[in-house]
Amino acid sequence: MAFGKGRGNKRSSSTSYASTITMVVFVALCVIGVWMLSSNSIIPPQISQANTRTVISETERADVSASSNGNDEPEPTRQESDEHPTFEDNPGKLPDDAIKSEYEQQKSAKEKNEKTSSKARDEVQRETQSQETQQDNEKIPEEKEKNNKIMQESDEGRVKQVVKEFEKEQKEQRDEDSGAQSGNNKGTQEQEQEQGQGQGKEFPDVEQGKKDQDSNAEVTYTDKTKEEQPMETEQGGTSENSKNEENGQQQQQQDDQNSGKEENMENNTTSEENEKEQKSTKDENGQQDEHNTTEDESGSKEEQSTTKEDNVEQQQEEQKEEKRQESSEASGFGSGIPKESAESQKSWKSQATESKDEKQRQTTESNTIESIMVGKAWELCNATAGYDYIPCLDNEAAIKKLTSRRHFEHRERHCPEDPPTCLVSLPDGYKESIKWPESRNKIWYHNVPHTKLAEVKGHQNWVKVTGEFLTFPGGGTQFIHGALHYIDFLQQALKNIAWGKRTRVVLDVGCGVASFGGFLFERDVIAMSLAPKDEHEAQVQFALERKIPAISAVMGSKRLPFPSRVFDLIHCARCRVPWHNEGGMLLLELNRMLRPGGYFVWSATPVYQKLEEDVQIWKEMSALTKSMCWELVTINKDKLNGVGAAIYQKPTTNECYEKRKRNRPPMCKNNDDANAAWYVPLQACMHKVPTNMVERGCKWPVNWPRRLQTPPYWLNSSQMGIYGKPAPRDFTTDYEHWKHVVSKVYMNEIGLSWSNVRNVMDMRAVYGGFAAALKDLQVWVMNVVNINSPDTLPIIYERGLFGIYHDWCESFSTYPRSYDLLHADHLFSKLRPRCNLVPVMAEVDRIVRPGGKLIVRDEANVIREIENMLKSLHWDVHLTFSKHQEGILSAQKGFWRPDTSP
């Protein structure tokens, strides 16, 4: 009614007029409030310095509404105090200022705008400071990368070639591992494309750690990615600079927003990264603005968040890959062969599982090298054996506790429960060893300063003292006039021996100074020579110093650490082994190792002398060999040397065994594993000859050298190989891989002088591919198959190479200073869960001679640990290089020894 009165009576009093105006204003405000509630528009935040309200037309509101509703899927809200608030249209209860007077509304809006502007300025300042700090932090590694790049560019030649080959191998590796991981990578790439990420991915922390490797070696390449990182960092820096420029213009952009300029919305980024940031920042009123330029202010944080998410994904992928690698026993980093398949574990036994009676060894829980080496001071070993110390053969405390020495138990392995971490001293006057083949005839006396054997066996041309040398006329007890003549005598006695063709791998028992094996090289034959560490002082050490393969071992109470049915020929020349005793137990051990159809050559006095003792031994040996179904093929006499040799052949079928009237020696039980050889007691029994045509031992290998590269006939395609391929193809792939690595990297680019290398050990052989790749060099390779690895040692023998079972948590059965080169492919990373690496490295230092080398291919963190220890041992680290969590190291041992002993 008052309203009607106001309209009808124009001459009302001033009081009625004021009341009418107030009512009109009130109604107008109510209409405006209802209109605001019914609107779906998004109101930009009020952060302008000007305290005026921005009016957006209905057309603009419709455009903004359409763009804000482009994604129908609701996003979760996240409120954070350190981000600018955005506002979302939220119809509901009217705000208080909607019912206030116009003056009060303007005052309230002014205070609110001032508060908002102050908050925005503070936020901008904080963001600017944060980005400047981040930019400064990013400049530091960028400058470091530039410096490293300059250093790398100055290194031309062989190291760059190593890098090139390394990357090529890794590319082949990634191509091979295209299965599940390629699918994961594809998904990751698609996700990155959807997110519109154009910058290079940041390297994880472990990659950054690689950049900080010590560069004191002659050539230290810590990571090839350093050459790529500056480029990626530069790109990242460009992006950051762009963001900083945007941040510097934010205030103007905010003014433009409050002025209602449409181009700000059109110029905002449309990437998935910014959309996530927009949808995740909301104020307490729940209002959302997807096109606010505060996205640019928080861009740095979003990039960090995205990087963290990418790193998490990458770490998850690396963890999956590490799990695959843990099941692997043979993958060479950056190689053309795939990682070892977990399924292959089901197809291959390890020596540890085969040797069910293996002695349980106490191992020290693995620790990181960083913690181990803190305060570590190397000391000389305080052992009676001095510079000839072999920990597992010179354990005097364990030997004293033996209750019997009847079966030469005191000559067998008795390893300390706590592996030694001391270093073995050098003999006074030690010099670098003489090169092969001159070393076969003479060595430096001071390198092996023992004269007892020369005094006792000098008349048999074993060894003589000649000035500062020990000379070896090439003779032995049974071949005084030279081993080469004796070797040809055996060939003439039995043509089917066929040195270097049918007969390739020989076991020489009781080898003396190994002249027989040393001259078999002239006939393209390799011999595993063995003798105990006994009163024949340092005989095996003489052999190794002459650059002839040999190990310290005894025919005692346990099986020798070799597989069954692998040696083509076994030789004994006055080897002083009582073959006929204990039911022929020791000869039965030879029967286990001898290939069906292989030969046993026995050159001893009972063969050709008629003394009463000799006659009795011959009678017992004849009965024993007959009961074992060994055929006496021939007995011949060497007139020049005045000796004779009996040659026996092992049967190729079980027919003779089945026709025996007496079951002596008895046949072994069916569940007796002939391949079990690690601390397994001897048994006086025989294993049957394989009759299945696809079983190892039923056929003779193809002739040498074709057998080197021919997959064994008993590797069938239905069997999965170590790397997950069909076994024959796995074998070939491994061979091709190592031929590539040796020819492209080891021969030319790694800084290794092969003219000084003769005695080589592959500390973790698989198929023997590394040794096979060295065929044309004047070297021999001791292939070591770890007891916890798949038992592939029979394959190594089948291809005409040799090797031995071993556990690197224990000391190796060889003298100090035995080898010129040790090769360790992913050995140490496999050992870490089982044993302490410090004693292992002390063992490496023990068996490598001064001037000898070590090549390690392993995980990048392991490479760094090994490098640290080698430097503490004063080794000269020539090369370290790491990429994609894999690395390579090359180092050389010097003459340094600590001054003190414990």
Side-chain angles (χ1 to χ4, degrees):
M1 180 176 290
F3 180 71
K5 288 180 180 181
R7 290 176 60 88
N9 187 7
K10 297 181 180 179
R11 298 179 180 180
S12 61
S13 64
S14 60
T15 302
S16 298
Y17 183 80
S19 176
T20 300
I21 293 301
T22 302
M23 182 62 69
V24 171
V25 172
F26 177 83
V27 172
L29 291 175
C30 289
V31 172
I32 292 173
V34 172
W35 173 75
M36 292 176 63
L37 290 175
S38 62
S39 174
N40 289 329
S41 63
I42 298 175
I43 303 175
Q46 310 298 322
I47 59 174
S48 175
Q49 291 182 356
N51 294 323
T52 61
R53 301 180 61 180
T54 302
V55 180
I56 302 178
S57 67
E58 293 184 3
T59 302
E60 292 172 334
R61 292 178 185 276
D63 292 340
V64 175
S65 178
S67 65
S68 65
N69 294 328
N71 186 359
D72 295 335
E73 183 178 353
E75 293 289 341
T77 60
R78 180 181 61 191
Q79 297 179 358
E80 296 181 2
S81 59
D82 61 342
E83 297 181 1
H84 294 306
T86 58
F87 298 90
E88 183 182 53
D89 189 22
N90 184 20
K93 184 179 178 181
L94 287 173
D96 293 338
D97 59 358
I99 60 176
K100 293 179 181 179
S101 66
E102 185 174 353
Y103 174 77
E104 291 174 337
Q105 291 178 30
Q106 292 178 354
K107 181 178 180 180
S108 176
K110 181 178 180 180
E111 293 174 354
K112 183 175 182 180
N113 287 335
E114 289 177 352
K115 182 178 180 180
T116 304
S117 299
S118 176
K119 182 178 180 180
R121 287 194 299 270
D122 294 342
E123 186 66 26
V124 169
Q125 185 176 2
R126 286 197 300 270
E127 292 293 338
T128 302
Q129 292 176 352
S130 175
Q131 290 179 356
E132 289 176 353
T133 302
Q134 181 178 358
Q135 186 177 8
D136 292 340
N137 291 337
E138 290 181 351
K139 286 182 179 179
I140 295 175
E142 182 178 356
E143 292 176 356
K144 182 185 293 186
E145 295 301 330
K146 290 182 179 179
N147 294 334
N148 289 336
K149 184 176 180 181
I150 294 173
M151 294 177 62
Q152 290 177 3
E153 289 176 349
S154 65
D155 278 322
E156 301 292 341
R158 62 181 181 85
V159 178
K160 281 194 173 182
Q161 184 64 27
V162 172
V163 171
K164 182 178 179 181
E165 293 299 330
F166 187 95
E167 291 182 319
K168 181 178 179 181
E169 292 172 11
Q170 288 198 322
K171 184 178 183 301
E172 294 173 353
Q173 172 72 48
R174 293 191 293 272
D175 292 342
E176 292 289 343
D177 297 337
S178 60
Q181 184 167 354
S182 66
N184 294 336
N185 291 338
K186 183 177 180 181
T188 302
Q189 292 173 0
E190 291 176 352
Q191 182 178 1
E192 291 175 356
Q193 290 175 359
E194 292 173 358
Q195 294 175 348
Q197 294 178 349
Q199 299 177 2
K201 209 171 198 180
E202 294 185 6
F203 289 94
D205 293 341
V206 67
E207 294 294 331
Q208 181 65 31
K210 295 176 186 176
K211 302 170 188 174
D212 299 330
Q213 292 184 35
D214 195 330
S215 59
N216 292 330
E218 290 184 10
V219 178
T220 301
Y221 243 73
T222 57
D223 200 332
K224 176 64 178 174
T225 55
K226 286 182 176 182
E227 297 182 358
E228 302 170 357
Q229 179 72 358
M231 182 179 297
E232 299 181 31
T233 304
E234 183 177 355
Q235 294 174 354
T238 303
S239 176
E240 292 299 326
N241 291 336
S242 177
K243 290 183 179 180
N244 290 337
E245 292 175 0
E246 293 173 2
N247 291 335
Q249 299 174 358
Q250 280 178 351
Q251 194 62 43
Q252 181 64 35
Q253 292 173 350
Q254 292 164 1
D255 293 339
D256 293 340
Q257 280 185 333
N258 291 328
S259 301
K261 291 184 179 181
E262 186 176 1
E263 60 267 24
N264 282 349
M265 298 179 190
E266 297 175 350
N267 291 333
N268 282 335
T269 179
T270 59
S271 68
E272 181 69 17
E273 184 175 295
N274 290 333
E275 288 175 6
K276 289 183 179 179
E277 181 65 24
Q278 292 167 359
K279 293 176 182 179
S280 63
T281 55
K282 297 183 179 180
D283 71 341
E284 64 272 12
N285 293 326
Q287 293 177 318
Q288 183 178 10
D289 184 352
E290 295 182 356
H291 298 276
N292 199 301
T293 56
T294 55
E295 296 160 357
D296 294 335
E297 296 175 355
S298 58
S300 177
K301 293 186 177 180
E302 174 62 22
E303 182 182 1
Q304 293 177 356
S305 175
T306 303
T307 301
K308 291 180 180 179
E309 293 174 1
D310 292 340
N311 286 341
V312 169
E313 293 176 0
Q314 184 173 354
Q315 290 174 1
Q316 291 174 350
E317 292 299 325
E318 291 172 357
Q319 289 173 358
K320 292 179 181 178
E321 183 64 18
E322 287 174 359
K323 290 180 179 179
R324 294 177 62 201
Q325 291 179 357
E326 287 174 358
S327 67
S328 171
E329 291 297 336
S331 103
F333 79 92
S335 65
I337 54 179
K339 301 298 183 182
E340 181 179 326
S341 170
E343 292 296 323
S344 68
Q345 299 295 335
K346 302 177 182 179
S347 303
W348 296 85
K349 293 181 179 180
S350 67
Q351 183 58 211
T353 57
E354 291 170 338
S355 302
K356 297 180 181 180
D357 297 328
E358 177 188 351
K359 179 181 177 181
Q360 296 296 325
R361 298 288 180 178
Q362 179 180 1
T363 56
T364 305
E365 194 174 78
S366 178
N367 297 310
T368 60
I369 298 303
E370 286 80 2
S371 62
I372 291 175
M373 296 308 299
V374 172
K376 173 66 180 178
W378 296 104
E379 297 176 333
L380 292 176
C381 297
N382 185 18
T384 304
Y387 44 70
D388 293 336
Y389 179 49
I390 305 177
C392 290
L393 299 181
D394 293 319
N395 187 355
E396 296 178 348
I399 293 174
K400 290 179 180 179
K401 296 178 181 179
L402 294 174
T403 58
S404 173
R405 299 190 179 191
R406 180 182 176 185
H407 298 103
F408 302 97
E409 289 89 348
H410 58 296
R411 305 294 186 195
E412 294 181 324
R413 290 172 59 87
H414 302 282
C415 298
E417 292 186 1
D418 295 325
T421 58
C422 57
L423 305 182
V424 177
S425 60
L426 292 175
D428 293 338
Y430 184 90
K431 302 179 181 179
E432 286 194 14
S433 59
I434 298 174
K435 297 181 182 180
W436 176 269
E438 186 181 3
S439 61
R440 182 169 57 186
N441 301 324
K442 66 179 182 179
I443 62 173
W444 295 110
Y445 164 75
H446 289 290
N447 287 11
V448 190
H450 299 289
T451 59
K452 182 177 180 181
L453 200 59
E455 297 169 1
V456 175
K457 296 292 185 178
H459 67 287
Q460 295 177 349
N461 286 336
W462 279 38
V463 56
K464 296 182 179 181
V465 179
T466 307
E468 59 180 348
F469 299 103
L470 291 170
T471 58
F472 301 86
T477 304
Q478 294 299 99
F479 37 89
I480 297 176
H481 296 285
L484 199 56
H485 168 80
Y486 174 75
I487 291 169
D488 291 340
F489 155 71
L490 295 178
Q491 174 66 79
Q492 294 170 3
L494 184 61
K495 300 295 184 181
N496 202 35
I497 286 179
W499 297 123
K501 295 181 179 180
R502 183 184 188 272
T503 300
R504 164 65 181 175
V505 185
V506 171
L507 176 65
D508 187 18
V509 181
C511 63
V513 294
S515 290
F516 178 70
F519 283 92
L520 275 175
F521 283 112
E522 299 294 326
R523 301 295 180 259
D524 215 0
V525 175
I526 56 174
M528 176 74 73
S529 301
L530 66 87
K533 188 177 184 182
D534 58 10
E535 64 274 7
H536 285 169
E537 192 178 44
Q539 54 187 338
V540 170
Q541 191 174 19
F542 283 135
L544 291 165
E545 187 68 19
R546 296 175 69 190
K547 310 295 181 71
I548 300 171
I551 63 167
S552 292
V554 64
M555 299 288 296
S557 65
K558 295 180 176 61
R559 291 178 178 177
L560 292 174
F562 308 115
S564 67
R565 308 187 300 272
V566 292
F567 288 104
D568 303 332
L569 182 145
I570 298 179
H571 176 256
C572 164
R574 296 282 290 273
C575 55
R576 300 175 63 193
V577 177
W579 300 117
H580 57 286
N581 289 347
E582 303 287 337
M585 185 177 294
L586 299 181
L587 195 62
L588 291 170
E589 171 63 359
L590 295 190
N591 184 77
R592 181 187 72 87
M593 298 182 293
L594 186 61
R595 191 183 300 278
Y599 297 109
F600 172 59
V601 177
W602 187 35
S603 178
T605 55
V607 176
Y608 56 90
Q609 288 187 358
K610 301 302 179 181
L611 298 177
E612 182 178 355
E613 182 181 6
D614 292 328
V615 171
Q616 183 62 30
I617 293 175
W618 174 255
K619 182 179 179 179
E620 294 183 17
M621 275 290 289
S622 297
L624 175 61
T625 53
K626 184 177 180 180
S627 66
M628 292 171 57
C629 296
W630 281 14
E631 178 188 358
L632 179 58
V633 179
T634 185
I635 299 178
N636 280 55
K637 187 171 183 178
D638 179 9
K639 295 181 179 179
L640 178 63
N641 289 307
V643 301
I647 303 177
Y648 299 87
Q649 186 175 27
K650 180 179 177 178
T652 57
T653 69
N654 295 313
E655 183 179 358
C656 176
Y657 299 146
E658 296 168 355
K659 291 182 178 180
R660 291 186 305 165
K661 295 180 180 180
R662 299 179 61 188
N663 190 29
R664 289 189 181 179
M667 303 304 295
C668 297
K669 295 180 180 180
N670 292 333
N671 61 356
D672 187 290
D673 191 347
N675 287 319
W678 189 247
Y679 292 111
V680 176
L682 291 177
Q683 297 184 71
C685 66
M686 294 186 299
H687 297 87
K688 289 184 178 181
V689 174
T691 57
N692 191 330
M693 294 304 294
V694 296
E695 188 176 356
R696 180 175 67 85
C698 70
K699 295 196 312 185
W700 197 266
V702 299
N703 283 349
W704 177 264
R706 190 158 57 94
R707 68 192 279 187
L708 179 71
Q709 57 189 8
T710 304
Y713 66 90
W714 41 270
L715 283 182
N716 57 77
S717 297
S718 62
Q719 181 183 11
M720 181 180 293
I722 301 302
Y723 307 121
K725 297 179 180 179
R729 189 152 61 95
D730 228 34
F731 174 94
T732 303
T733 302
D734 177 80
Y735 182 40
E736 294 299 325
H737 159 68
W738 285 113
K739 284 199 301 183
H740 173 81
V741 171
V742 169
S743 62
K744 298 297 183 181
V745 180
Y746 290 177
M747 295 303 300
N748 301 312
E749 311 300 343
I750 204 171
L752 182 63
S753 175
W754 287 93
S755 63
N756 296 323
V757 175
R758 170 66 179 174
N759 300 6
V760 180
M761 177 185 288
D762 190 357
M763 299 178 71
R764 200 186 78 89
V766 181
Y767 294 121
F770 170 67
L774 298 177
K775 169 186 174 294
D776 296 330
L777 298 181
Q778 291 294 312
V779 302
W780 58 267
V781 181
M782 180 69 73
N783 293 281
V784 178
V785 172
N786 295 264
I787 64 168
N788 287 82
S789 301
D791 188 5
T792 55
L793 191 53
I795 299 175
I796 293 173
Y797 276 91
E798 194 78 5
R799 70 191 304 182
L801 306 171
F802 60 23
I804 191 171
Y805 294 121
H806 185 60
D807 181 2
W808 282 112
C809 294
E810 301 178 359
S811 175
F812 194 78
S813 293
T814 191
Y815 278 85
R817 306 171 299 280
S818 297
Y819 286 85
D820 302 307
L821 171 65
L822 297 190
H823 181 259
D825 179 39
H826 286 78
L827 168 70
F828 300 106
S829 57
K830 306 295 181 184
L831 288 177
R832 282 202 300 182
R834 298 182 50 240
C835 50
N836 193 327
L837 289 188
V838 173
V840 179
M841 290 307 299
E843 177 67 3
V844 168
D845 183 86
R846 187 183 73 86
I847 64 180
V848 174
R849 55 174 51 112
K853 290 88 176 177
L854 171 67
I855 300 176
V856 180
R857 297 165 68 96
D858 217 311
E859 299 172 1
N861 60 330
V862 175
I863 292 293
R864 290 192 293 272
E865 294 172 1
I866 298 303
E867 181 183 7
N868 290 337
M869 281 193 288
L870 289 175
K871 288 182 176 179
S872 71
L873 289 165
H874 295 256
W875 283 48
D876 185 7
V877 180
H878 291 299
L879 172 73
T880 57
F881 175 78
S882 300
K883 184 176 181 180
H884 297 312
Q885 311 300 323
E886 299 289 337
I888 185 171
L889 178 147
S890 174
Q892 184 174 18
K893 179 181 175 180
F895 283 78
W896 176 84
R897 296 289 87 181
D899 297 330
T900 60
S901 59

